[in-house]
Amino acid sequence: MQPVLAVTSGEPAGVGPELCARLAEKDWPARLVVLGDIDLIRERAALTGRPVEVQRYEGEGSARAGCLEVLHLPLAVASKLGMPDPANARYVLDLLDRALAGCASGEFAGMITAPVHKGVICDAGVPFSGHTEYLADHTLTPRVVMMLVGGGLRVALVTTHLPLSAVPAAITQEAVEQTLRILHGDLVRRFELAAPRVLVAGLNPHAGEGGHLGREEIEVIAPVLERLRAEGMQLVGPLPADTLFVPHTLSTGDAVLAMYHDQGLPVLKHASFGGGVNVTLGLPIIRTSVDHGTAFDLAGTGRADPGSLYAAVELALAMSAAGGASAAAH
């Protein structure tokens, strides 16, 4: 009995289709179903010098050994390497919608996503700020948390895709508390950490320097930490971000909570780029993703590294085994 995982192939002009084809190179303890245009995936695999045998996914039917299963969803228009076309934006979103539907019904135990291009989707007239926000909207989840895993680190964010000028106003007591509750809950439920210890960064340099460099630590972050510690959560901070991300301090925690995107993610990507995983916490389903973009310049060259996609599959498998998803095994 193996879990069935959906893998969306992402932006067709990027590296997603060829990386998904490379899933056939490993023997996985799961049934992986790639969502995408079957001819596109076959052609990109051949173009990169790694042709694979491809078959259509047919529900509960058995897949052939060494064969890549593809749930065929057709492109709207032919895709050119490195040249995203807004006409295919709906196709990209259809991949996500089909994977979501399969996770909701129990057909899939979780979903793994290859990269999409936000700009081309927006150019098609669909407001889109990222996978994380899209999946939250379409599962009616009021708040989700982005966490990246890799290089021995877990780094979660209070705010995600916001201009830096908008971040301070978004760091509210409610936002920090809800994020910490989701992070703590999923570390217990999906990562099997009975009593996770979270290191919480301050917003300002030197965590505000006692109020001389900003008062968000005093007025917003610290009161939330005090309330949640009283409930039994192990929370350390608010800590200066520049000294939080040193090996000794990191070794004392199970996860880091950063206040904004570029406070936490550059450190993690330095430690793990090419092998990191983006996880959306707080959803009713399991969702992991690669830690890189569409890499248009590498599309079709065969040089794109599948390491992050492999790591995303492995983490989704581990989370599924932890009992965090509806079982979908055939």
Side-chain angles (χ1 to χ4, degrees):
M1 300 290 287
Q2 292 185 325
V4 183
L5 298 173
V7 186
T8 61
S9 53
E11 166 55 52
V15 296
E18 64 203 68
L19 291 178
C20 287
R22 295 193 65 179
L23 292 170
E25 296 176 9
K26 290 189 67 174
D27 184 18
W28 299 94
R31 185 177 172 191
L32 303 183
V33 178
V34 174
L35 279 62
D37 187 294
I38 195 167
D39 294 324
L40 172 73
I41 292 167
R42 185 185 289 115
E43 289 165 6
R44 292 291 165 81
L47 181 64
T48 57
R50 295 182 174 88
V52 296
E53 186 179 359
V54 176
Q55 73 172 81
R56 288 191 182 230
Y57 167 72
E58 297 178 351
E60 297 187 7
S62 296
R64 298 194 303 274
C67 194
L68 186 73
E69 278 193 284
V70 177
L71 195 166
H72 176 61
L73 293 168
L75 286 164
V77 297
S79 178
K80 297 179 181 179
L81 288 168
M83 299 177 64
D85 190 330
N88 280 322
R90 186 64 258 171
Y91 159 83
V92 172
L93 297 177
D94 285 345
L95 304 182
L96 298 178
D97 292 344
R98 177 62 179 87
L100 274 171
C103 289
S105 70
E107 178 185 9
F108 303 132
M111 63 187 288
I112 300 101
T113 57
V116 299
H117 191 274
K118 301 179 185 68
V120 74
I121 296 173
C122 291
D123 288 343
V126 181
F128 185 86
S129 58
H131 275 117
T132 301
E133 296 83 358
Y134 186 86
L135 297 177
D137 288 344
H138 285 71
T139 57
L140 304 179
T141 305
R143 189 175 190 92
V144 294
V145 173
M146 177 189 290
M147 181 172 78
L148 267 76
V149 178
L153 305 176
R154 301 183 185 98
V155 178
L157 306 173
V158 176
T159 63
T160 53
H161 300 121
L162 289 178
L164 191 57
S165 60
V167 168
I171 303 298
T172 64
Q173 288 198 20
E174 180 182 23
V176 174
E177 180 171 342
Q178 289 179 351
T179 302
L180 278 167
R181 289 190 184 281
I182 292 168
L183 173 60
H184 181 273
D186 272 7
L187 288 173
V188 173
R189 179 165 62 117
R190 304 224 192 259
F191 290 82
E192 298 185 300
L193 297 170
R197 183 177 173 88
V198 179
L199 309 178
V200 181
L203 173 65
N204 298 295
H206 302 177
E209 194 77 69
H212 296 287
L213 295 177
R215 297 192 57 81
E216 285 86 355
E217 289 76 13
I218 295 170
E219 297 175 0
V220 178
I221 302 171
V224 173
L225 301 189
E226 291 171 10
R227 285 200 301 272
L228 297 183
R229 287 189 196 109
E231 296 180 13
M233 290 189 196
Q234 296 189 60
L235 307 172
V236 182
L239 300 171
D242 60 344
T243 53
L244 187 165
F245 287 105
V246 298
H248 172 72
T249 304
L250 289 172
S251 70
T252 66
D254 296 300
V256 171
L257 180 64
M259 293 295 117
Y260 57 95
H261 188 282
D262 282 11
Q263 182 184 58
L265 299 195
V267 178
L268 184 136
K269 292 192 177 187
H270 174 74
S272 68
F273 194 73
V277 181
N278 185 345
V279 187
T280 307
L281 305 179
L283 291 172
I285 63 168
I286 287 172
R287 179 262 174 165
T288 66
S289 186
V290 296
D291 70 346
H292 57 76
T294 49
F296 291 130
D297 58 323
L298 294 179
T301 67
R303 300 199 308 270
D305 187 347
S308 181
L309 181 60
Y310 288 177
V313 172
E314 289 165 357
L315 184 56
L317 281 168
M319 293 170 70
S320 176
S326 299
H330 306 299

